[in-house]
Amino acid sequence: MAELSDQLMAFTVLAYLVAMICYAGEYAFGKRSHIGKAATRQLVGAGAPVPPVAEQPVERAKLSRGEWSGRIAVAFTFLGLALHLGSTATRGIAAERMPWGNMYEYILSATLVGAVVWAGVLIRKPAVRHLGLFASLSLVVLLGAANLIAYTPVGPLVPALNSYWFIVHVSTIIVSSGIFLIGAVPATMFLIKNGYDEGKRTFPYTLGKRVSDAAGLERLTFRLHAFAFPLFTFGALIAGPLWAEASWGRYWGWDPKEVWAFISWIVYAAYLHARATPSVKRTVATWIALLGFVTMLMNLFGVNLFFEGLHSYADAG
């Protein structure tokens, strides 16, 4: 089963890579509508947004190259998701436990959640399909990093993880992390689109030329973060300290991972507060959201690889 999991993961990365290339084809050849600069300025300021200009219906006798590329990208996205699920499931069967016991398995599971969330976004909001280029890129990079620098053979849990809190704490952190991962995609594209509409014509703002509906991107960013934040709060600040007290006899010990989880919580709380404050521009709030994701990456890679602490499970298995 462990070997099957590794083989499925290799095909998973390949499927996401093909999806990314096809999304890039749609991004390059597909047609996008734009909301005007005035509407974007209203959106990012304190005033109410101006409704975007309605798209003119376009009749096509046949699918364009961009549309075909987009449909193929969606097909490979769902194929990659199925392979991803199979790889994670067989890893858990091989280990005879939930596949969350080390850094490799954590990335495997968090990216699976991200892929599921992205698939849900595709189903509910087909108009944002062009974001798949960046969603699939994130999945390919993270899974590639997991295989290159964090791969760990299947093995039993370290003693500190043998607790019912393992399921409660780690599951909520994994789910919230996967949602934050996908939430960072529309956040980035909203900032790029806004920069393009403000007249910036240098890379990466030129990517905003084919991005439509900045208001929709900003709303999607908020909804994803608003859903993930309570889960992260429970996992990091409630279940985590309770598990720490049960395992080590203290709720808080300033362990590097505890500190960085708290930093992430503060940053995401600041984003939601800024987003709810009318006087704060939406661009400022969105930058805070991206900063939160950077702290999550620091907690995942930096703390696990470069710090020693009670949570150092990068090589555990």
Side-chain angles (χ1 to χ4, degrees):
M1 279 295 181
E3 184 178 352
L4 176 60
S5 175
D6 294 343
Q7 292 172 348
L8 288 174
M9 179 45 52
F11 285 112
T12 298
V13 175
L14 181 60
Y16 287 148
L17 182 61
V18 173
M20 182 184 74
I21 294 171
C22 291
Y23 280 125
E26 181 185 36
Y27 201 88
F29 300 113
K31 294 182 179 180
R32 302 286 166 216
S33 63
H34 302 70
I35 66 172
K37 295 182 181 180
T40 301
R41 291 194 184 101
Q42 287 287 337
L43 169 70
V44 300
V50 175
V53 178
E55 288 188 56
Q56 297 298 322
V58 178
E59 295 184 1
R60 294 190 178 114
K62 60 181 180 179
L63 295 177
S64 66
R65 286 182 298 174
E67 289 172 323
W68 271 115
S69 187
R71 293 191 177 194
I72 295 172
V74 171
F76 273 94
T77 296
F78 281 92
L79 174 61
L81 175 58
L83 293 168
H84 199 162
L85 177 61
S87 177
T88 307
T90 51
R91 175 85 179 191
I93 294 171
E96 298 182 340
R97 55 172 173 77
M98 299 303 292
W100 308 331
N102 50 63
M103 183 178 173
Y104 171 77
E105 293 174 355
Y106 179 92
I107 298 174
L108 199 68
S109 299
T111 50
L112 175 62
V113 172
V116 170
V117 172
W118 171 241
V121 170
L122 278 176
I123 293 171
R124 291 177 59 87
K125 296 180 178 295
V128 300
R129 188 172 69 189
H130 55 286
L131 296 181
L133 169 60
F134 309 98
S136 55
L137 173 63
S138 300
L139 294 174
V140 169
V141 169
L142 286 174
L143 289 174
N147 282 277
L148 290 175
I149 67 177
Y151 180 79
T152 305
V154 172
L157 289 174
V158 296
L161 296 182
N162 278 312
S163 168
Y164 60 88
W165 284 109
F166 172 67
I167 303 293
V168 177
H169 169 67
V170 181
S171 64
T172 52
I173 296 296
I174 284 176
V175 171
S176 57
S177 298
I179 300 173
F180 283 142
L181 164 64
I182 298 302
V185 173
T188 302
M189 293 313 299
F190 166 68
L191 293 172
I192 289 174
K193 170 65 175 174
N194 177 68
Y196 181 83
D197 285 343
E198 290 296 322
K200 298 177 181 178
R201 295 296 185 266
T202 58
F203 185 82
Y205 297 104
T206 50
L207 294 174
K209 182 178 181 179
R210 293 189 176 272
V211 177
S212 62
D213 192 9
L217 293 176
E218 197 280 330
R219 285 194 301 270
L220 179 59
T221 299
F222 169 71
R223 289 170 182 172
L224 290 170
H225 284 80
F227 185 84
F229 184 73
L231 294 174
F232 185 71
T233 299
F234 173 78
L237 300 186
I238 298 177
L242 288 174
W243 189 10
E245 197 280 332
S247 298
W248 303 313
R250 88 292 188 278
Y251 293 99
W252 187 266
W254 297 103
D255 186 79
K257 188 166 284 290
E258 294 173 348
V259 171
W260 276 98
F262 185 56
I263 291 173
S264 297
W265 184 87
I266 290 176
V267 175
Y268 279 123
Y271 160 69
L272 294 176
H273 176 72
R275 175 58 168 70
T277 304
S279 60
V280 178
K281 292 184 177 181
R282 296 291 168 84
T283 50
V284 174
T286 306
W287 275 114
I288 297 174
L290 288 182
L291 177 61
F293 186 63
V294 171
T295 66
M296 294 287 285
L297 291 177
M298 174 62 191
N299 202 1
L300 175 60
F301 291 101
V303 172
N304 280 338
L305 297 176
F306 303 114
F307 289 87
E308 291 292 334
L310 295 173
H311 291 81
S312 297
Y313 302 130
D315 299 319

